[in-house]
């Protein structure tokens, strides 16, 4: 996730600094929590795609503005965006103003809806890659975490085959960590056990 690792050994996971309330809340309340809602998973994949070349905290700080501009990340709405709607979004300084990323989000909405029309539940499809349950890693130090894994490479290829963009293996691994498909909290972090307890 383009992590800054704090030297403060007292922090549970040292990438979420104690003096940044937004980042800390994200770590303590969201990161690694198993997500099973198809639309919420799709939204998170879009946000991770928007992060490409940027730090996650940049997206986190803009997340509410991005949600507002992108019609609450309702795929049925975004799939219908036209040139004028893209131009409107590009005027908003609160979002990531990249025409390529905006067009990718529209295409990804269409890919998501194509899967739904084919009777494929996005959540079931994603979770099948981990056998339906989180992969629980035993990290003593988050700086040991891989940027990508063979599984994130496999999922990235499968997403691309479905028509998704901005879903390379590094983006996909960050996504898998965030939505709890992989538990990469450090073992000393209370959230390591807490998010495990939230899995189905």
């Amino acid at each position: 996730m383009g992590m800054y690792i704090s030297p403060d050994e007292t922090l549970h996971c040292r990438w979420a600094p104690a003096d940044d309330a937004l980042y800390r809340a994200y770590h303590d309340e969201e990161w690694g929590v198993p997500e099973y809602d198809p639309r919420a998973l799709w939204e998170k994949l879009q946000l991770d795609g928007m992060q490409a070349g940027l730090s996650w905290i940049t997206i986190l700080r803009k997340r509410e503005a991005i949600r507002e501009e992108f019609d609450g990340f309702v795929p049925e709405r975004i799939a219908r965006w036209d040139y004028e709607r893209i131009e409107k979004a590009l005027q908003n300084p609160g979002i990531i103003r990249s025409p390529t990323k905006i067009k990718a989000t529209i295409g990804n909405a269409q890919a998501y809806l194509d899967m739904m029309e084919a009777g494929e539940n996005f959540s079931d499809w994603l979770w099948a890659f981990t056998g339906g349950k989180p992969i629980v890693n035993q990290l003593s130090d988050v700086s040991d975490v891989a940027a990508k894994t063979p599984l994130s490479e496999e999922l990235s290829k499968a997403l691309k085959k479905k028509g998704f963009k901005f879903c390379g293996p590094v983006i996909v691994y960050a996504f898998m960590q965030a939505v709890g498909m992989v538990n990469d909290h450090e073992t000393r972090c209370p959230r390591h056990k807490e998010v495990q307890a939230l899995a189905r």
Side-chain angles (χ1 to χ4, degrees):
M1 48 192 305
M3 290 191 256
Y4 160 75
I5 309 296
S6 165
D8 184 353
E9 292 288 345
T10 66
L11 289 175
H12 297 145
C13 280
R14 288 179 299 132
W15 58 263
D19 60 355
D20 189 323
L22 184 66
Y23 221 175
R24 197 75 221 163
Y26 176 70
H27 167 274
D28 293 349
E29 295 159 26
E30 288 185 63
W31 194 72
V33 172
E35 178 60 74
Y36 301 102
D37 177 77
R39 196 220 52 83
L41 284 163
W42 181 80
E43 173 180 332
K44 187 64 179 66
L45 186 61
Q46 305 323 299
L47 289 166
D48 274 316
M50 287 177 187
Q51 183 200 338
L54 305 165
S55 65
W56 175 244
I57 191 61
T58 301
I59 302 298
L60 205 52
R61 289 189 179 126
K62 290 176 176 276
R63 181 164 63 170
E64 290 314 312
I66 294 170
R67 274 183 179 147
E68 197 175 323
E69 186 62 64
F70 281 84
D71 296 333
F73 279 104
V74 175
E76 290 83 354
R77 288 187 192 163
I78 298 171
R80 294 197 299 267
W81 277 28
D82 55 15
Y83 176 79
E84 284 77 18
R85 186 64 186 83
I86 294 169
E87 285 302 304
K88 176 188 173 291
L90 285 169
Q91 304 308 309
N92 185 343
I95 70 163
I96 306 302
R97 291 191 283 184
S98 158
T100 316
K101 289 178 180 178
I102 292 171
K103 284 172 188 164
T105 305
I106 298 166
N108 290 348
Q110 291 161 350
Y112 173 87
L113 294 173
D114 286 346
M115 287 179 73
M116 275 181 64
E117 278 172 36
E120 284 183 292
N121 179 294
F122 191 56
S123 177
D124 294 345
W125 183 83
L126 284 170
W127 279 97
F129 283 85
T130 64
K133 58 185 192 294
I135 294 164
V136 181
N137 288 329
Q138 302 294 327
L139 293 173
S140 58
D141 189 333
V142 76
S143 56
D144 294 338
V145 73
K148 60 181 179 177
T149 64
L151 185 57
S152 79
E153 288 180 357
E154 185 189 338
L155 179 50
S156 169
K157 276 182 194 159
L159 282 162
K160 285 174 183 173
K161 221 174 198 177
K162 295 282 186 188
F164 287 86
K165 291 194 170 122
F166 277 94
C167 57
V170 174
I171 287 170
V172 165
Y173 193 64
F175 164 77
M176 292 173 77
Q177 291 172 309
V179 300
M181 292 173 73
V182 177
N183 181 351
D184 269 348
H185 280 281
E186 291 177 335
T187 48
R188 68 195 170 115
C189 177
R191 293 299 284 165
H192 185 267
K193 275 193 180 148
E194 288 166 11
V195 298
Q196 257 174 270
L198 297 170
R200 279 182 183 169

